[in-house]
Amino acid sequence: MAQSDAFIRIEQVSKRFGATIAVDSVSLSIKRGEFFSLLGPSGCGKTTLLRMIGGFTLPDQGAVHIDGEDVTVLPPNKRASNMVFQSYAIFPHLNVRENIAYGLRSEGVKPAERDARVADALTMIKLEHYGERRPHQLSGGERQRVALARALVKRPKVLLLDEPLGALDKRLREAMQLELRDLQREVGISFVFVTHDQEEALSMSDRIAVMEDGRILQVADPKTLYEAPNSRAVASFIGTMNFFDGRVVSARDGKASVDAPVLGRLEVSVPGALGVEAGKPVLLAVRPEKLSLSRARPAIGSIGVRLTGAAYLGDRNQFHLIIEGTNAQVAVAAQNAVAADGPPFKEGESLYLGWKPNAWVLLPPD
């Protein structure tokens, strides 16, 4: 992204807590009006980075800019941002209307304007008739909406969200993902969203930054992250992936011929950022749903496997197999309509593993 397109610009930001490096020289650009997620396991630095954008934690080095302004050392109340925490932090002694109005009252907004903005916020979160209720009278999803309204009523230029759906059950969490995405499109401001849930990030985000050990591994749209990860770490964190060691036999015109001991010779597209040459080790990766199982040998691309186990996952079956003559394991996912075509596969049965030519992703070696 060109620097001129960056609404939030983070430049070589680092943060230590004692001997622990929480964020390690991170640079990042986020667009105006973008739903941007910071994704990674616990302890990867994503919440610390979010808190540095919001001013709740100051970096040891580096700079943070929001809308062209250097806000690196500004306190939270002086920044064009607001934050929604996982705990919601709703005041139990105030009703919904008073909770939403709290920040406006603290800023001295006149009563008439304050009431109008609170009414608009209640309509926005679809709680128009809940203004007099206390927090204990609300569901988890309703409390989450109130926390969002309280942050948005101050009209920030960016909303920071620290795992705001983490306390909700699966059904409500999925419903709130849709509502939150719709709300972001309605208000049109940048959302920076922290989560450890890969499905949540994939379903909601315009772009995602995958983090590990205080560093950013890859920034891309959800489809690119899933279909073309740039490393084993990203591929492993985003969904399920099978990995096989290989060695380049030849490379030309964006294609590489790769020899993998358990797979044979494969022709694979080479990602633009990955330099390959003959004799160099590489990693071959393939998603379970890009593979197929059959009793008859496919015409293109196949090896013998033995079924060691299967799991029923509702909409699909997950098969676990060992490649014949090796100890190499592989996972295959098949929709039930496909898996049910013919007699069910049995544990211990010998089968053929097939794939399409474009199924494989080429990655740098570990």
Side-chain angles (χ1 to χ4, degrees):
M1 182 196 308
Q3 291 292 341
S4 58
D5 296 332
F7 176 67
I8 300 171
R9 187 158 43 90
I10 299 163
E11 298 175 335
Q12 295 295 308
V13 164
S14 294
K15 183 64 183 180
R16 285 179 175 266
F17 295 102
T20 301
I21 303 175
V23 176
D24 189 5
S25 298
V26 166
S27 293
L28 185 65
S29 294
I30 299 171
K31 301 175 185 177
R32 187 185 302 273
E34 184 173 34
F35 198 120
F36 191 95
S37 290
L38 300 172
L39 174 66
S42 297
C44 72
K46 56 189 185 296
T47 292
T48 300
L49 182 57
L50 188 79
R51 291 177 63 87
M52 286 193 285
I53 297 173
F56 297 94
T57 299
L58 297 182
D60 296 328
Q61 66 181 48
V64 178
H65 293 80
I66 299 178
D67 199 15
E69 179 185 7
D70 187 340
V71 299
T72 308
V73 298
L74 291 183
N77 64 323
K78 299 296 184 182
R79 302 191 183 202
S81 61
N82 214 336
M83 193 159 182
V84 176
F85 299 92
Q86 183 174 353
S87 64
Y88 308 148
I90 297 173
F91 299 117
H93 62 289
L94 300 179
N95 64 27
V96 168
R97 193 181 307 278
E98 291 165 339
N99 261 286
I100 296 173
Y102 182 83
L104 300 178
R105 183 177 288 109
S106 300
E107 291 180 348
V109 176
K110 293 181 179 180
E113 180 183 353
R114 185 173 67 228
D115 291 345
R117 287 167 66 173
V118 170
D120 288 343
L122 284 168
T123 299
M124 177 178 62
I125 61 170
K126 301 179 177 64
L127 294 179
E128 298 94 326
H129 306 297
Y130 286 62
E132 305 309 315
R133 293 195 184 186
R134 301 278 179 173
H136 73 273
Q137 297 174 301
L138 303 176
S139 68
E142 289 163 350
R143 288 195 294 273
Q144 196 257 7
R145 292 187 202 178
V146 172
L148 285 169
R150 188 175 61 183
L152 290 170
V153 77
K154 296 181 68 175
R155 297 175 180 171
K157 293 180 180 180
V158 57
L159 188 65
L160 310 174
L161 303 108
D162 186 13
E163 304 216 37
L165 309 182
L168 305 179
D169 62 59
K170 179 176 174 60
R171 181 190 60 81
L172 184 55
R173 185 182 184 119
E174 290 175 350
M176 288 306 302
Q177 288 171 11
L178 296 175
E179 289 195 20
L180 189 58
R181 185 59 169 134
D182 289 343
L183 181 61
Q184 189 267 338
R185 287 171 175 158
E186 180 181 341
V187 298
I189 66 173
S190 300
F191 277 28
V192 184
F193 186 88
V194 159
T195 182
H196 65 275
D197 188 318
Q198 53 181 285
E199 291 185 4
E200 187 169 82
L202 291 173
S203 68
M204 299 173 68
S205 311
D206 294 314
R207 287 191 304 144
I208 302 167
V210 181
M211 295 188 66
E212 182 181 73
D213 296 333
R215 293 179 175 271
I216 291 178
L217 302 180
Q218 186 174 3
V219 179
D221 62 273
K223 183 177 180 180
T224 299
L225 279 181
Y226 190 82
E227 299 285 349
N230 66 359
S231 65
R232 182 174 189 142
V234 173
S236 298
F237 195 77
I238 305 291
T240 303
M241 186 74 93
N242 297 293
F243 299 100
F244 301 93
D245 292 324
R247 189 169 295 276
V248 177
V249 176
S250 61
R252 183 178 179 183
D253 298 331
K255 295 283 186 180
S257 179
V258 179
D259 187 31
V262 299
L263 300 171
R265 185 72 58 85
L266 296 174
E267 300 297 322
V268 187
S269 295
V270 179
L274 180 63
V276 297
E277 57 185 74
K280 295 294 184 180
V282 289
L283 197 62
L284 287 160
V286 63
R287 297 286 182 191
E289 68 273 15
K290 302 281 189 181
L291 299 171
S292 62
L293 287 176
S294 62
R295 293 186 172 95
R297 181 187 289 273
I300 301 175
S302 68
I303 53 175
V305 293
R306 180 169 51 84
L307 182 62
T308 59
Y312 176 76
L313 301 177
D315 62 332
R316 68 192 187 281
N317 284 330
Q318 185 93 353
F319 297 102
H320 302 280
L321 308 110
I322 290 180
I323 297 175
E324 294 285 11
T326 76
N327 294 320
Q329 300 181 4
V330 61
V332 178
Q335 296 297 314
N336 285 333
V338 176
D341 185 12
F345 298 137
K346 296 180 180 179
E347 187 171 331
E349 185 174 2
S350 292
L351 302 166
Y352 288 103
L353 179 74
W355 57 84
K356 295 181 180 179
N358 61 356
W360 297 91
V361 178
L362 202 61
L363 301 175
D366 291 341

